[in-house]
Amino acid sequence: MSGAGANLLSFIAIGVLVGCGVTLLLERSLSRVLLGVILIGNGVNLLIVFGGRSGEAPVVGVADEAAMSDALPQAMVLTAIVITFGFTAFLLAISYRSWYLTGDDEVPDDIEDRQVVRRAARKEVSTADVGGEPPAADPQQIDAPAPRREEGPG
């Protein structure tokens, strides 16, 4: 065995990372969703790296062109790392804001969605908003304000 390239253990590790990431992604807590996104991102990056051809550094003049590795997977992983970092920062900001406003980072059930499910179960015809009033004056379209958090000593 030359030691270059992927082996079965690498693909098992990638599968475990992606599997754990998907499991965490299905949770209601935003911090667990954040960890799931990070795990899936790292698993996919490893899959892309191991999918490329192994070899010498892809620098012209340093090695024989036939022995060079493919630089495309490395560029794709670098781009994916940046995208994953940006998405992680976005989810972290949403999680912090949710925790700041409500004291919890759990995603609540959507009340409107529950009503739609109940109407569908009773086979009722959905009602359209035919009132004609602007959205600011329609009490059905205005959300209740979130309770403010008490300011701490810090």
Side-chain angles (χ1 to χ4, degrees):
M1 181 175 233
S2 66
N7 55 22
L8 182 61
L9 188 62
S10 303
F11 287 113
I12 290 174
I14 292 168
V16 168
L17 280 175
V18 172
C20 290
V22 168
T23 302
L24 287 172
L25 204 61
L26 297 175
E27 295 286 329
R28 298 191 136 244
S29 171
L30 286 175
S31 58
R32 290 183 182 183
V33 169
L34 175 68
L35 290 175
V37 166
I38 292 171
L39 286 178
I40 289 174
N42 287 327
V44 169
N45 289 342
L46 286 175
L47 182 65
I48 292 171
V49 166
F50 286 130
R53 184 179 57 183
S54 61
E56 298 292 324
V59 179
V60 176
V62 174
D64 183 28
E65 288 187 24
M68 285 186 196
S69 65
D70 190 7
L72 182 61
Q74 298 168 10
M76 289 174 64
V77 167
L78 188 60
T79 304
I81 287 171
V82 171
I83 291 170
T84 302
F85 180 72
F87 193 59
T88 300
F90 176 70
L91 282 177
L92 191 61
I94 287 177
S95 179
Y96 174 73
R97 188 69 180 161
S98 174
W99 177 81
Y100 184 78
L101 290 175
T102 63
D104 194 8
D105 67 342
E106 189 169 311
V107 178
D109 286 336
D110 187 14
I111 297 171
E112 189 70 26
D113 189 37
R114 285 184 179 176
Q115 291 175 351
V116 169
V117 169
R118 267 188 254 133
R119 286 183 192 149
R122 289 183 284 185
K123 297 184 179 180
E124 292 180 1
V125 177
S126 64
T127 58
D129 188 16
V130 293
E133 64 268 6
D138 190 359
Q140 295 175 344
Q141 297 186 13
I142 298 175
D143 294 331
R148 293 290 303 173
R149 254 186 89 119
E150 297 294 326
E151 292 294 326

